Amino acid sequence: LLIAGVQVAHFDRIKLVVDELSNRVTVSFSLGLHPMFDHGDMTTALTALDQKLADWQSQVSAVGEFGLDKFSETPLDCQQQLVDQHLELANTYRLPVILHCRGYHNELLQCLDRNPPQCGGVLHAFSGSEQLGLSFIKRGLKLGIGGVISYERAAKTRRAIEALPLDSLVLETDSPDMPLQGYQGQRNEPSQIVHVLNALAELRGCDREALAAILYNTSEQLFS
């Protein structure tokens, strides 16, 4: 499990949950400032993020979730500045990134060109075209594949996932959000990753166990 941090107020609780679970499962966490949350004074929030990354760097697996969102009340230029600062922190601490993007893909690509993530990362909840996916892959990122591929109406994304390199994909659930086809209205849980795997194996016409091994190896390399 990887528990994604999204605002400073959650960081201590996430650390406590990880410590409580660590005897039973392999679990780690990431820390970031999500564009859909109000972080108050941004300088203070970034200072707190930097300090927690320094204090917990032996346990933190990534910087994120951060990125750009067209529905955020924060102006785009401020969101981009925050992305740049996250990318700088990720490179300082030699960590991969977990990126959120809704509606501003070209702008996010520009941020990545200004501050390339030296340890790679994941574009979370990918739901675009093959061309868009390749744009992020060429910048050293993996694509986070979740429940969206279980919906037949997501034809563009399903076609893209059929064509993109397998070693550029990682699976995710985004629990408790992003329910799979047939589970709408229910809380999504990490155990649903099995159903994401099944959907991907069906799309790719791959042996399920062989596919699982490839995906697991990619995740291990990225977040180790």
Side-chain angles (χ1 to χ4, degrees):
L1 304 178
L2 192 152
I3 302 175
V6 293
Q7 60 181 140
V8 173
H10 293 173
F11 291 170
D12 287 336
R13 177 60 180 158
I14 289 173
K15 175 68 162 54
L16 181 61
V17 169
V18 168
D19 289 343
E20 290 174 346
L21 290 174
S22 59
N23 291 331
R24 288 176 282 159
V25 295
T26 302
V27 58
S28 63
F29 60 99
S30 63
L31 300 176
L33 305 176
H34 194 288
M36 290 300 289
F37 287 84
D38 180 6
H39 302 291
D41 180 75
M42 200 57 67
T43 300
T44 301
L46 281 165
T47 299
L49 172 61
D50 190 358
Q51 186 62 57
K52 293 299 187 184
L53 290 170
D55 291 345
W56 299 334
Q57 56 184 306
S58 64
Q59 289 181 277
V60 178
S61 292
V63 174
E65 181 182 334
F66 67 95
L68 304 177
D69 197 304
K70 67 178 180 180
F71 295 108
S72 173
E73 296 181 0
T74 303
L76 175 59
D77 59 337
C78 295
Q79 292 188 52
Q80 289 174 300
Q81 183 179 0
L82 188 58
V83 168
D84 289 342
Q85 291 164 319
H86 275 83
L87 291 169
E88 290 172 5
L89 284 172
N91 289 336
T92 296
Y93 289 101
R94 301 292 301 164
L95 289 169
V97 298
I98 299 177
L99 296 173
H100 169 95
C101 192
R102 191 162 50 164
Y104 286 138
H105 290 97
N106 288 334
E107 291 81 358
L108 184 57
L109 289 168
Q110 292 168 11
C111 292
L112 293 170
D113 289 339
R114 286 195 298 271
N115 292 289
Q118 297 169 9
C119 296
V122 174
L123 176 65
H124 156 65
F126 175 73
S127 61
S129 66
E130 179 183 356
Q131 181 180 7
L132 179 63
L134 288 172
S135 295
F136 284 96
I137 292 169
K138 289 175 182 177
R139 289 163 173 83
L141 296 175
K142 309 299 183 184
L143 305 178
I145 308 304
V148 66
I149 64 169
S150 66
Y151 292 86
E152 290 189 4
R153 67 174 183 269
K156 179 176 65 175
T157 300
R158 286 163 60 90
R159 286 195 301 268
I161 299 307
E162 285 181 295
L164 290 166
L166 274 180
D167 62 2
S168 69
L169 309 180
V170 295
L171 299 190
E172 61 182 25
T173 58
D174 196 38
S175 306
D177 302 314
M178 284 175 55
L180 284 85
Q181 173 70 40
Y183 295 89
Q184 298 95 320
Q186 301 178 36
R187 187 181 74 167
N188 196 8
E189 296 186 355
S191 59
Q192 295 289 73
I193 199 76
V194 174
H195 300 300
V196 182
L197 172 65
N198 291 341
L200 181 60
E202 182 178 349
L203 273 178
R204 300 292 299 231
C206 292
D207 174 77
R208 181 177 174 276
E209 298 303 321
L211 178 59
I214 293 171
L215 296 162
Y216 186 80
N217 184 59
T218 300
S219 297
E220 282 280 284
Q221 291 177 352
L222 181 61
F223 294 117
S224 63

